[in-house]
Amino acid sequence: MNLADPDPVGQSPEGPALFEGNSEPRLDAGVSGAASPVDKSGERVRDMFRQIAPRYDLMNHVLSLNIDRWWRSRTVQLVRDQLEVDGPLLDVCCGTGDLAIALASDRELDRSVVGTDFCGAMLEIAREKDDPKNRRGSGPSQRPAIPFLEADSMALPFPTAEFAAVTVAFGLRNVADTDRGIAEMVRVCKPGGLIVVLEFSKPTAPVLKQMYGLYFRQVLPRIGQWMASNDRSAYEYLPQSVSEFPSGQALCDRMEAAGLRDVDHTPLTLGVATIYAGVKTPTEGESNAGQRERDAIGPAATEPLERVE
C-alpha cells in the first residue's frame, strides 16, 4: 500500500522514529518552557480552534509552505487507488473541509462524503467553501452538498460498518484519546474498507531533523503569533502536539491493535508528514450488528448519505 510516486521535495527512507529518548530534543522545547503533556481536553481544543477558525486555512498554507495541498491530493490518490468497497466516505476531524471536499470532488471516486468535526466554527467555514457558488476545481458537476455534522470523533453518531472508507487529515492528534479515536473510525468502517490517516510526523534525516526542530521552536511560533495574536496557545499547541503524537511504526501498531490489517505508512516531504493506511478486518457478527443499529436508528439517519443523481 506504499505510494511510490516521487515527492516534489523529497522523501526519506522509512525507519525508526527519531526525536525520542533522553538524548533527543523535544519539538516543543523552548516554546512552552515546560515538558508537561499537552492539554487536549475537549473544551480547550474546541475553544482554540474556534478562535483561529477564520485564519485556519491561511495558517495551514503558510506554515506548511503550501505543501499541505499536495499532501491531501496524495491522500485522495491513495483512497482512489486502494478502495475496493462500495459505499459513502467519512472524513472525521474535518475542520474547514479541505479533505472532504477533495474526496467528494474526485471524478474517479464519485462517492458521497460526510464530514464531522466537534468545532462548529470550523464547520461553518466548511459549509461555505462547499457551497456550489464557492466551489473550486473540477468534480461531479451536480454532486450534492457534503453534510458537515458536529460530532465527537470518540463517539461518532453512525451505525457500525456504515462507510467504505474513513479518513482524517491533521486531526487525529487533536483527539483526547488516540486509541478511542482510531477505534471509532474502525467501528463505522465497512469490513474490507480503508482507514486513512494523514498527519504531521518527525523527519528522520539528521540534518532535516535539526532544521525541522529549529523551525518548530523559532519560526513557527513567530508566524503563529502574528496570525493568531489573540491566542498564544494556538501557535504553541502545534509543536507540542506533534512532538507527543506517535508516528511511524508506533502509530501503525496502534492501528493494527484496533483491528486493521495491511497497515502501512508513507513519509511525505522528507518525513514532515506521513500517510497511514490499513484495511478493516471483518469480525464475526459485525454485519448483523450494523444492520440492527440501522434498524434501531431508522431511515432518517442514513438519508443524508445517499447520493443524489
Side-chain angles (χ1 to χ4, degrees), residues 104-305:
S105 300
D106 189 88
R107 290 184 180 275
E108 293 185 46
L109 272 174
D110 194 21
R111 303 287 186 105
S112 297
V113 178
V114 177
T116 65
D117 199 280
F118 76 162
C119 179
M122 303 286 274
L123 292 173
E124 289 178 9
I125 296 173
R127 295 184 188 106
E128 182 178 354
K129 287 163 65 173
D130 193 49
D131 188 298
K133 67 177 180 291
N134 297 327
R135 291 177 187 170
R136 297 179 179 179
S138 61
S141 58
Q142 301 299 322
R143 74 166 175 85
I146 298 171
F148 286 107
L149 311 176
E150 190 166 346
D152 184 347
S153 294
M154 294 187 294
L156 293 168
F158 305 110
T160 297
E162 182 73 13
F163 299 94
V166 184
T167 63
V168 58
F170 308 114
L172 186 58
R173 64 187 161 77
N174 300 323
V175 178
D177 186 328
T178 300
D179 293 325
R180 280 185 62 186
I182 295 173
E184 270 296 270
M185 293 174 69
V186 173
R187 180 185 68 80
V188 301
C189 184
K190 293 183 176 184
L194 284 175
I195 302 294
V196 181
V197 178
L198 171 62
E199 190 53 86
F200 287 114
S201 52
K202 308 173 188 88
T204 58
V207 175
L208 180 64
K209 176 184 68 175
Q210 299 300 325
M211 295 175 59
Y212 184 72
L214 179 66
Y215 175 73
F216 262 60
R217 293 192 303 270
Q218 303 296 332
V219 179
L220 185 147
R222 286 169 171 78
I223 297 175
Q225 186 173 20
W226 169 66
M227 301 184 76
S229 58
N230 64 324
D231 185 4
R232 179 180 178 83
S233 65
Y235 58 86
E236 292 183 339
Y237 175 83
L238 177 59
Q240 292 173 357
S241 62
V242 172
S243 177
E244 295 181 9
F245 190 73
S247 63
Q249 188 58 46
L251 185 57
C252 289
D253 291 343
R254 293 194 180 199
M255 293 173 68
E256 289 176 349
L260 299 178
R261 59 177 172 82
D262 301 330
V263 177
D264 201 357
H265 65 290
T266 302
L268 304 174
T269 315
L270 296 170
V272 173
T274 299
I275 300 177
Y276 305 83
V279 178
K280 180 176 179 177
T281 302
T283 58
E284 186 175 355
E286 183 174 48
S287 298
N288 291 335
Q291 187 58 53
R292 286 195 298 271
E293 290 180 39
R294 293 184 188 88
D295 293 341
I297 293 173
T302 56
E303 283 176 1
L305 308 184

